[in-house]
Structure formats: structure tokens, C-alpha cells
Amino acid sequence: MMKRKLLLAVFSTFLLAACQNSQMGMDKMDMKSTTEEMGKMSEQKTENKDSMNGTMGMDEVSDYTFKTLDGKDVSLADYKGKKIYLKFWASWCPICLAGLADINQLADTPPKDAVVLTVVAPGVNREKKLDDFKEWFSGLEYKTLPVLVDNNGQFLKKLGVVGYPSSAFIDANGKVVRVQPGHVTNEDIVKTLETL
């Protein structure tokens, strides 16, 4: 029993590391700069202990516009007055794929006054090109999952997203109050949205 738990822990750690390291096709120099960047982000968060109250100094993002997989424009301004949860993910990330059923369920029944969306960046960080991604995604069972396309990864860069999966929480005024790397459970997403 103990061996099984240890094996599971080692395997989970390996998957997380593989997902985080392989996502950008990183060589050692890329990994070093990404690690430094993540360290700087962590320091900024530590300096700003009030990050959950919208004082991270990030620009308002409500005017940002994405495309859906079927080519329609979706602006975050469309959700003004609602809290927004964004999940950033990639088709090659096993942790992301393992969490799609949960995020699909939450998107179908979001908390009151909130919306749950996912964001991919085709052609960026080793993600498939848009047409290939659409074809791949059409083979999945998540027909109602809202997937927004971040062309050229500009929004990811704006928020400092460097790993998948990552999350962003946006308050009802369109301000980013938290960007968090790693998997977040539905329960924690709901709790965080309730505190915004």
C-alpha cells in the first residue's frame, strides 16, 4: 500500500514536471530564464500580499477580444459585471487533459454571477496550429466547453502565463486579481470566485 502511494506520488510529480518543462520545447537556457521569470512573479506576489483584492497592478483586460473555434469574436467586455475564470491549457499537456471533464462541468453550471472559459494558443508553445487543433478538439466529447483562441499567445504574455495548466481570476470590473500556475480543483475555483 505504501509502495503504491509512493509510486503514485513519483508518477504525479513526473507528469507535472514533464508538462511544465516540455510545453515550450525548452532547452536548458529557456528553462533557466523561465525559472527566473517564475521566481520574479513569485516575488511580485509576495510583495503584494493583497493580490486577491485586485491590487496586483495588472491592466484592465475587459477590452481583450478572442476568437472562438468557429471564428466568432468574444470580448471579455461581453462579461462585464460577471466574475471570470480562465483556464489556460494545451492539447499536449496530460494534466490539462485530465482536468477537461471537470472544467467542462463547471463551465456548464458556473457559480452565480460568474463565467468559466478556457483559452488555448494555437501555434504557440508547441501547441497545434489552429486547423489541426480544431480537428483534434472536434474528436473530443466536450461539445459545450467554451474554448477561446489567443492568437500569437498575446494574452498569455500579458498575464505572464508560462506554464500549463494555469488559471486567471478576473473580477466583475474586468481586473485580473490572480494568475496561478498548476491545476486548480473546481471546489477551489468556486471558492476563489466567491471571494472576488
Side-chain angles (χ1 to χ4, degrees), residues 114-127:
V115 64
V116 175
L117 306 167
T118 71
V119 179
V120 296
V124 177
N125 298 342
R126 292 188 31 220
E127 182 54 88

Side-chain angles (χ1 to χ4, degrees), residues 58-66 73-84 86 117 148 155 158-159 169-177:
M58 290 187 181
D59 296 328
E60 193 169 302
V61 294
S62 61
D63 62 345
Y64 201 87
T65 301
F66 299 92
D73 286 337
V74 174
S75 172
L76 292 180
D78 298 342
Y79 304 106
K80 194 82 168 186
K82 291 190 171 216
K83 302 166 191 174
I84 303 171
L86 296 174
L117 306 167
L148 304 179
F155 195 72
K158 182 177 181 77
L159 296 188
F169 294 89
I170 302 172
D171 70 15
N173 296 315
K175 294 198 184 287
V176 178
V177 294

